Amino acid sequence: MKIHSFKVTPNLPENMKFLEELSNNMWFAWNWPAITLFLRIDEKLWEKSQRMPKWLMATVPQKRLEELSKDESFITHLNFVEKLYRDYQNNKNTWYNQIKGEGKENFLTAYFSMEYGIGEGLPIYSGGLGMLSGDHIKSTSDLGLPLIGVGLFYQRGYVKQVLNKDGWQGEEFPENDWAHMAVEPVRNAQGNNLTVDIPLGRETVKAMIWRVPVGRTSLYLLDTNLPENAPYHRTITEQLYGGDRENRIKQEIVLGVGGVKALKAMGMEPTVYHINEGHSAFLLCERIIQIMQDKKLSFSEAKEIVWATSVFTTHTPVIAGNEHFDFNLVKKFMEPYVAQLGIGWDAFLDFGKETPQSPMFCMTVFALKLSAYLNGVAKLHGVVSREMWKNIWPGLSTSEVPITSITNGIHPASWVSHEHSELYRKYLYDGKDSFDQFDQKIFDKVDNIPAQELWTTHNIRKDKLIKHIRTKAHDQAVRLASNAMIIKQSSKVLKEGVLTIGFARRFATYKRATLLFKDLDRLSSIVNNPERPVQFVFAGKAHPADTAGKEFIKQIFNIMLDPRFKGKIVFAEDYNMNLARYMVQGVDVWLNNPVRPMEASGTSGMKAALNGALALSILDGWWDEVGPCDFSWSIIGAKSYQNDQQRDEVESQALYNLLEQEVVPCYYNRDKDGIPQEWIKKMKTSIKTIVPFFNTNRMVQEYYERFYSKAHYYGNILKSEGQTAALAAWRNRIAANWARVSVVDTTGNIDRTVLVGETLKFTAKVTLGDLKPEDVVVQIQMGQRALGGGFESAKDFAMVCKGKQGDTYLYEAEIQPEASGRQDYAMRIIPFNKAIPNPFTPIFVRWEM
């Protein structure tokens, strides 16, 4: 049977034509006036649409559209939203346009991620990486920063969580209704769908390119579900993180290699590439190949350009969370690319091996070795990452490993409740419509919000959360064919006015969703205190293959049925962006208790703080940069434990103590008007401390200032005629001579007491082989020696070449010690070239022996 298709679009009245444009740009997802416009068309259909305007417009009766076209109030609202949209799109006074700098005219960053959480109506996300990527894209749009996103076009949304009567997680994978999503095919000059060919071993797969408009910027998605492809290739992009290991590596080649090919096919020339996690790291191969072919350069020359213009962000401090592939699997699909690189199979594998003995090809290692700008997503995560990957840089102290950190943030306009947004506009922004400025002085005005008004706003959102949870509990009870009594009870879970604590995140075991339940008798006394009751809302999905995570969900589900906790501890099914929004906007306290330091950053607590919730958290991820503090609570245990059981016992007791002795009393301590003044004081301090810093506007600005602009600058240098050849020749000269490089300290023993600030003179003899002094830097590293060797903390002082004596160079430095106590120092030589961002890839360091 041959089936034909054609497209039908709503027949919009002339004065409502703008709705079509609005429905096709995800800008609406973070603009409340636009959302309320769709709500006015048909509130029930809007909720049913899962925030897909195109579906709403295709479903609403034509008669309703005609009615609205004659509704003066609606048309006024529509015109207001259109003005907001036009002003946003046409704004020439963006942050990026205001900053000064040379060479900005052709700047463009390509941002690669496996998932994006732009909005509920575009379900191509699963968890934290997707939320962060989506918020990153939205902030670049707000800031006017030239950046485009690249991802995959999944046929199915990520796991829809379905619990059975025993609380065991089952999964459904609903088909994505792309015809009704804000997405459009990219066409070529002839008007046909634009595709790219991607070699996969001995075969080639075609990928079509789709575009999602996101405010001022765009997200491009690759789709292999095409009739031209073999059935097993059509399923590559079927499901986020889906399939076996073979399908996984195919996905990553399509994303990385296909993404670079797609950008070239569209005529785009990014000057910076940003890789998030190792999933898309094979883009580095395709970039090198394209530069070799286009500029007729060698591998080593092309690699210099790619390395200097690549940013890599690692988002996980767990080794198992970093992508590893069997060597044979990599060879099966990557052999054609290695042949074009011309470097040999063993040399290619070395880029993906942490040490020469590594048994697997690691995508994270591959990205670390071929990117000049490397970072974790919180300060503590940077420390952990340097420790995790220090073997890639032998000869460096762990503190010197060139992985820095840029702390994550959130896109406030996407996560603030409209009630809180109006409150902030009124008292912080003097009634202006914009909510995108995060100057500390602006947020200091939070103190001007009347306590009663802030408390009322908070409780409006809390009541909405409770209503939403009751609806979900009722629907779940009906689905499970529960009896009438259970269905009735499900509609009455939780109580208004009770201290409500939320916990929602991916159910990986290290996040310890069950820590609260170590002592059920003690928990019962907290929950069921007649004068000061407490209730908890839990939500989250386990990965389909994570049996241990599913056991955690089942445990909480069963505790929820315990008569002591019935209706007071609730597990909300199928955690997604919509439920997340209700929770972060409605809870009193956000609970976070991972195993330190296994939380890279976390952002849900930032979203809760934006809406006035207080934190109750382990000192991990982003919270390690905030707590301990006087406006929330930090769960503090011991520095080390004998085993996991001891750790969980100590930290669960610390959690109970905080609840009993501080959190609960503070919440229920009210003045004569029923206002918890001390609690509200904490709310205000939390908002004005957290929101101005922990947002993606600050984060994106930091990426630009520290990474993107520098990568763009060095890329321009290396594109100059002859620069790459000169740099490659310098690299080869360094490698050829390094065995002949040495440094000897000739200062002599400093056997007297030195005063702080006193000038000390250090001297050294240096051999450089055929290298020149301008090829290297001779340094004194001074600080405190670490127990395992190297330095815990140190400062570098450059020595000055004073001449040559035979085959050796003489170097001197004068240093004034800045601290008292024991000072350790060591001399070393590292390469130097002004055309490279940092000297540590590849690693050449010669210490005095």
Side-chain angles (χ1 to χ4, degrees), residues 322 354 364-365 368 385-393:
N322 291 272
E354 183 180 356
T364 299
V365 171
L368 288 170
S385 297
R386 289 189 285 275
E387 181 65 34
M388 280 178 68
W389 304 112
K390 64 184 179 183
N391 290 335
I392 299 174
W393 291 273

Side-chain angles (χ1 to χ4, degrees), residues 157 175 185 188 214 251 300 309 321 341 355 367 457 479-480 569 571 651 669 680 755 790 812 843:
E175 291 276 348
N188 60 19
V214 185
Q251 279 192 340
S300 59
T309 56
L341 293 171
T355 67
T457 301
R479 179 179 59 78
L480 293 173
I569 293 178
F571 186 92
E651 294 180 4
N669 183 18
I680 289 174
L755 299 176
E812 291 182 0
I843 183 70

Side-chain angles (χ1 to χ4, degrees), residues 430-446:
D430 300 321
K432 296 177 183 177
D433 290 321
S434 63
F435 183 44
D436 58 1
Q437 301 299 314
F438 303 102
D439 185 272
Q440 184 64 58
K441 291 180 181 178
I442 291 174
F443 272 81
D444 284 342
K445 296 180 185 178
V446 167

Side-chain angles (χ1 to χ4, degrees), residues 349-643:
L349 281 186
D350 284 343
F351 284 110
K353 293 162 72 173
E354 183 180 356
T355 67
Q357 296 76 36
S358 295
M360 300 278 279
F361 186 95
C362 179
M363 297 293 283
T364 299
V365 171
F366 190 73
L368 288 170
K369 289 185 176 181
L370 290 173
S371 303
Y373 305 91
L374 313 171
N375 73 288
V377 289
K379 287 182 180 178
L380 180 59
H381 183 224
V383 174
V384 172
S385 297
R386 289 189 285 275
E387 181 65 34
M388 280 178 68
W389 304 112
K390 64 184 179 183
N391 290 335
I392 299 174
W393 291 273
L396 288 188
S397 299
T398 302
S399 61
E400 269 197 298
V401 168
I403 303 176
T404 183
S405 63
I406 294 179
T407 302
N408 280 348
I410 60 166
H411 184 245
S414 295
W415 297 103
V416 68
S417 78
H418 65 272
E419 291 91 348
H420 284 92
S421 181
E422 288 303 315
L423 196 65
Y424 296 154
R425 282 194 176 102
K426 178 179 177 181
Y427 290 100
L428 278 61
Y429 295 96
D430 300 321
K432 296 177 183 177
D433 290 321
S434 63
F435 183 44
D436 58 1
Q437 301 299 314
F438 303 102
D439 185 272
Q440 184 64 58
K441 291 180 181 178
I442 291 174
F443 272 81
D444 284 342
K445 296 180 185 178
V446 167
D447 289 331
N448 298 337
I449 302 175
Q452 178 69 65
E453 204 166 341
L454 180 57
W455 189 238
T456 298
T457 301
H458 172 68
N459 283 309
I460 288 172
R461 290 310 313 182
K462 185 171 172 179
D463 290 346
K464 287 186 176 183
L465 167 64
I466 291 172
K467 181 181 177 182
H468 186 70
I469 296 297
R470 286 173 176 172
T471 300
K472 290 182 69 70
H474 173 269
D475 292 348
Q476 182 183 12
V478 170
R479 179 179 59 78
L480 293 173
S482 304
N483 62 45
M485 179 63 72
I486 292 176
I487 292 174
K488 185 177 180 180
Q489 290 174 343
S490 68
S491 301
K492 297 180 179 179
V493 299
L494 305 178
K495 289 184 178 180
E496 293 85 355
V498 172
L499 173 60
T500 303
I501 299 176
F503 179 102
R505 52 193 35 86
R506 184 166 54 90
F507 261 61
T509 52
Y510 76 84
K511 294 178 184 283
R512 293 193 298 181
T514 58
L515 185 69
L516 181 69
F517 307 109
K518 293 300 177 185
D519 186 338
L520 291 182
D521 290 335
R522 191 169 180 188
L523 178 61
S524 177
S525 69
I526 294 170
V527 168
N528 295 301
N529 185 316
E531 301 298 324
R532 303 183 305 190
V534 183
Q535 57 195 14
F536 294 86
V537 181
F538 283 82
K541 298 172 183 174
H543 186 280
D546 185 1
T547 302
K550 292 182 179 182
E551 288 288 356
F552 275 22
I553 294 172
K554 182 180 178 182
Q555 181 182 342
I556 296 173
F557 186 88
N558 289 328
I559 289 171
M560 184 174 81
L561 301 178
D562 186 315
R564 294 175 294 177
F565 305 114
K566 215 163 195 178
K568 301 164 187 174
I569 293 178
V570 179
F571 186 92
E573 188 178 51
D574 196 32
Y575 186 50
N576 57 22
M577 282 186 80
N578 189 44
L579 177 55
R581 195 174 282 109
Y582 272 101
M583 288 188 66
V584 298
Q585 293 172 0
V587 298
D588 297 303
V589 174
W590 195 258
L591 177 61
N592 179 47
N593 45 234
V595 176
R596 176 186 164 96
M598 296 180 72
E599 186 75 270
S601 173
T603 57
S604 57
M606 302 175 195
K607 297 162 189 169
L610 170 68
N611 292 283
L614 303 183
L616 177 55
S617 181
I618 289 285
L619 289 168
D620 198 10
W622 76 280
W623 187 253
D624 186 65
E625 297 171 35
V626 180
C629 60
D630 59 0
F631 55 82
S632 280
W633 297 276
S634 298
I635 305 166
I636 299 174
K639 287 187 176 180
S640 61
Y641 298 99
Q642 294 179 357
N643 50 51

